[in-house]
Structure formats: structure tokens, C-alpha cells
Amino acid sequence: MTADRHEAVDHLRRLAAQLEAHSFRVRLETPAEPFPHLHVINPMAPARTEDVLAAHEENGEWWFWLSWAGRLGHADDVATVAERVVSVLHVIRR
């Protein structure tokens, strides 16, 4: 695994711990291609899932992204990013 992939996995593991603290289920996936990512599942509505990636920009700063290229936040702010993921996967009960 390259240094970039190792760093991405480290960031994803930190985010996974935050999401687990919110009682979300996470699975770290590290396929050979294309990128490592977290598969996040809302346990109250298992159909509500999202993949989250960690990637750096040309300036070297790391960010978390939703699978559809929605930027979630800076990798140094996993608490805020976790809140945003929870918000994306939130289910409104009627």
C-alpha cells in the first residue's frame, strides 16, 4: 500500500471511531482499486448508507468526501465530519 493509501486509511479509521460513537455501523473497505473508503450504515434504517472517502488536494491537505463528490470537511475535524455524515443518513420519522 502506498503512503497516500496508508494516510487515507488512518483518516478513515479516525472517522469510523467517531461514527461508531454515534451508533452508526461502519465498514472500512480497502480494495486494490480505486480507493479505500468507509461504508457507513444507519442502523435504524439499514437502507440508508453512504460511502466516505479521504483524499488530499494538491496542497497536501486531506479532506473527507461523500462518494458523489460532496466535500464533507477537513480531515483534522472528524467530529464535524461525523455530524455531517449523520445528518446525511438521518431518517425523519412521521
Side-chain angles (χ1 to χ4, degrees):
M1 202 180 308
T2 68
D4 281 350
R5 287 179 65 82
H6 277 292
E7 191 164 355
V9 167
D10 288 343
H11 290 301
L12 292 169
R13 283 188 176 132
R14 289 186 307 107
L15 180 58
Q18 284 288 319
L19 290 165
E20 287 171 337
H22 286 278
S23 300
F24 276 67
R25 293 194 323 245
V26 297
R27 182 176 62 238
L28 177 61
E29 298 187 2
T30 57
E33 292 293 328
F35 308 104
H37 60 275
L38 282 183
H39 185 70
V40 185
I41 302 165
N42 180 337
M44 301 302 287
R48 301 286 305 213
T49 68
E50 184 59 67
D51 290 331
V52 178
L53 297 89
H56 65 82
E57 295 187 341
E58 290 183 21
N59 65 5
E61 288 190 42
W62 282 85
W63 295 84
F64 289 110
W65 297 83
L66 293 169
S67 61
W68 41 272
R71 186 156 84 174
L72 286 164
H74 200 275
D76 289 340
D77 191 4
V78 292
T80 298
V81 171
E83 290 290 334
R84 290 177 179 161
V85 172
V86 167
S87 176
V88 166
L89 296 178
H90 180 74
V91 176
I92 298 173
R93 303 263 186 228
R94 292 183 198 204

